[in-house]
Amino acid sequence: MRLVSVVGARPQFIKLAPIAKAARAASVEHVIVHTGQHYDPMLSEVFFGDLGIPTPDVYLGIGSGSHGAQTGAMLHAIEGVLTAQKPDWVLVYGDTNSTIAAALSAVKLHLRVAHLEAGLRSFNRRMPEEHNRVLTDHAADLLLAPTRVAMDHLTAEGLASRAVLVGDVMTDVLLEVRDRVAGLQSPLVREFAVAPGGHYIATIHRAENTDDPLRLAELVGALSRLDRPVVLLAHPRLTAAAAVHGISLTRGSLIAHTPLAYPDLVAAAMGSAGVITDSGGLQKEAFLLRVPCTTARSETEWVETVELGWNVLAPTAREIAAAASRAAPTPTDAVPYGDGRAATRVIRELLLRTPERH
Ligand code: UD1
C-alpha cells in the first residue's frame, strides 16, 4: 500500500508520529507531505526531532496568508504531488486549512481519502476549523473516528457507512511521552523557580480569541489576575495579535514564554496546578494526565473531558477566575480516548481496504 500523509500544523505533526511508526511496522510505503502552514521551528521542526518522525518527503513551503490564499495555494500544490505519487490512500489529519486542501485535492483526482479525527464537532460555525472538519468528513471515503461521540455525529449526518471507531492517536503519543518524562522536573519549574504544582500553564491561539482586541484584552486580563503565576506558552498568532493591539503578555500573574517542545509541554502540564487553554489537544492531554483544565471557549469538541469533571468551559473572565482555582476533580479511570493503540488500527483499516496491493 502506498499512503500519502498530508500535514502542515503543529497538532498534525503529533498525530503523524504514531501513524508513521505504525506504517513502518506494517511495511507500508509512506510518503509525508508538509504544506508549510506552520514554519516556525518551535511549531514544526522540533516535533519531527523529538517524536522520531521521518523528515517530510515533500515540503511545499506555503506559509501564512488569508484563508483563501493559504488554502488555495495548498490545493494547487498538493494536486501536483498527488498526481505524481498516485497513492492508494491520502490520509488527512484534524481540522486545519491543510486538511481541507488535501482532502479536496485528492477527491477531485479520484484518489481515496481517509480523515483521521473524523466526526468531531463544536457546532460553532464561526470557527474556521468547524468548516474544515465538516467539509472534509463529507468528502472523505473513510472516516476514522476517535470517540463514540464522534461516531454519533457522523451517524447523525448520514455518514455511518464510511465511519469506523479507531480511538484517538494523540493518546498513543501522550501515553508514550508521559512515561518517558515521568520523574523529570518541569522545564518551567527550573526556569522560573516556581513551586511544582504552584503555577498554571496557559495557551491561547484560536482566531476567535486572538483577533478581536476586546476579547483578547479580556482573556489576558483574566489570566493576569489569577491566584498563582501563569506561564503563557504564546503561539505566534497570539504574539502577533498582542503586538498589533498593544496588549502586554507579561503582567500581574502572567509570564509570556515561547511555545514548548512536546516532551517539555507534557512535563510542564504534569508539573502544573492546572491548564487554561483554547486548544483542543491540550484539553484532552490535561485529562489524560489528570490535570484540571479550564477552557476559554463556550464549547468543546472533547465533551468527555467536561462530562467526567476534568474540564470546565469558561468563556468569560469571571468564569476563568472561578474555574482555574476550583477544587480537585473526582478521580476517574474512564478511557474515552482509547488504549493508546489507535494508529495501529488506522493502518489496519487502510490495509483492509487496499486489497490489490498489500
Ligand atoms: C492552525 C489551525 C488550527 C490549529 C492550529 C494549531 C487553521 C484554520 N487553523 O491555527 O486549527 O489548532 O493551527 O497551532 O488551519 N504563524 C507564524 N509562524 C508559524 C505559523 C503561523 O508566525 O509557524 C502566524 C502567522 O502570522 C499566521 C498566524 O500565525 O498568519 C496564524 O497561522 P495559521 O496557520 O493561519 O493558523 P493557526 O492560528 O496556527
Side-chain angles (χ1 to χ4, degrees):
M1 174 173 80
R2 175 180 287 182
L3 172 66
V4 167
S5 278
V6 182
V7 291
R10 177 168 60 176
Q12 295 169 324
F13 309 138
I14 300 169
K15 292 164 202 164
L16 171 62
I19 294 290
K21 195 167 148 194
R24 205 164 43 239
S27 302
V28 166
E29 190 188 344
H30 188 201
V31 176
I32 298 173
V33 179
H34 185 325
T35 63
Q37 177 168 354
H38 283 177
Y39 44 88
D40 284 355
M42 284 309 288
L43 293 194
S44 177
E45 268 160 62
V46 70
F47 289 88
F48 284 78
D50 284 336
L51 299 178
I53 309 168
T55 307
D57 300 277
V58 182
Y59 184 76
L60 299 175
I62 303 293
S64 303
S66 67
H67 284 287
Q70 186 182 55
T71 311
M74 290 174 185
L75 187 60
H76 186 206
I78 294 168
E79 184 174 70
V81 176
L82 296 181
T83 303
Q85 292 287 341
K86 299 187 181 53
D88 295 299
W89 281 99
V90 179
L91 185 59
V92 301
Y93 298 67
D95 59 16
T96 74
N97 289 343
S98 299
T99 314
I100 181 72
L104 200 49
S105 297
V107 291
K108 296 284 180 93
L109 294 170
H110 309 298
L111 293 169
R112 281 179 295 186
V113 182
H115 184 205
L116 186 73
E117 217 176 67
L120 292 185
R121 298 290 181 265
S122 67
F123 300 102
N124 177 353
R125 289 175 51 80
R126 301 274 310 163
M127 285 177 71
E129 294 87 351
E130 182 72 357
H131 296 288
N132 289 341
R133 52 174 93 97
V134 170
L135 294 169
T136 301
D137 279 340
H138 283 259
D141 302 280
L142 177 61
L143 304 174
L144 300 158
T147 62
R148 287 188 188 288
V149 171
M151 286 294 281
D152 291 344
H153 292 150
L154 294 170
T155 302
E157 291 174 32
L159 299 173
S161 64
R162 289 187 252 155
V164 47
L165 178 64
V166 288
D168 171 48
V169 296
M170 279 183 110
T171 299
D172 299 14
V173 193
L174 191 272
L175 298 181
E176 205 181 300
V177 173
R178 177 197 64 186
D179 295 346
R180 218 199 298 162
V181 303
L184 299 183
Q185 200 181 46
S186 156
L188 302 178
V189 168
R190 268 200 312 274
E191 187 174 339
F192 297 113
V194 284
H199 65 286
Y200 303 114
I201 62 170
T203 76
I204 298 292
H205 80 276
R206 301 227 96 87
E208 65 267 29
N209 281 336
T210 56
D211 294 3
D212 169 8
L214 287 178
R215 173 69 182 153
L216 181 58
E218 179 187 5
L219 286 177
V220 170
L223 295 176
S224 73
R225 292 189 297 273
L226 289 184
D227 57 336
R228 300 165 204 234
V230 184
V231 182
L232 176 63
L233 304 170
H235 184 288
R237 175 188 276 280
L238 171 64
T239 310
V244 166
H245 302 310
I247 296 171
S248 166
L249 298 178
T250 296
R251 61 180 148 120
S253 302
L254 197 56
I255 312 162
H257 194 280
T258 51
L260 293 175
Y262 193 70
D264 285 342
L265 173 82
V266 174
M270 287 168 86
S272 74
V275 168
I276 301 134
T277 190
D278 63 1
S279 152
L282 195 48
Q283 293 172 50
K284 197 176 42 186
E285 286 153 353
F287 169 75
L288 293 167
L289 297 169
R290 298 300 190 268
V291 175
C293 183
T294 299
T295 296
R297 289 174 52 192
S298 42
E299 73 282 312
T300 178
E301 298 78 14
W302 303 106
V303 291
E304 303 82 2
T305 59
V306 174
E307 285 159 4
L308 291 164
W310 285 79
N311 187 11
V312 170
L313 298 177
T316 65
R318 198 173 41 79
E319 288 165 295
I320 290 171
S325 58
R326 70 190 185 274
T330 315
T332 172
D333 52 11
V335 283
Y337 302 118
D339 57 4
R341 289 195 290 270
T344 303
R345 260 176 236 120
V346 166
I347 296 298
R348 196 176 62 213
E349 294 296 336
L350 293 172
L351 283 168
L352 274 174
R353 291 165 177 79
T354 315
E356 66 275 23
R357 279 211 228 174
H358 77 273

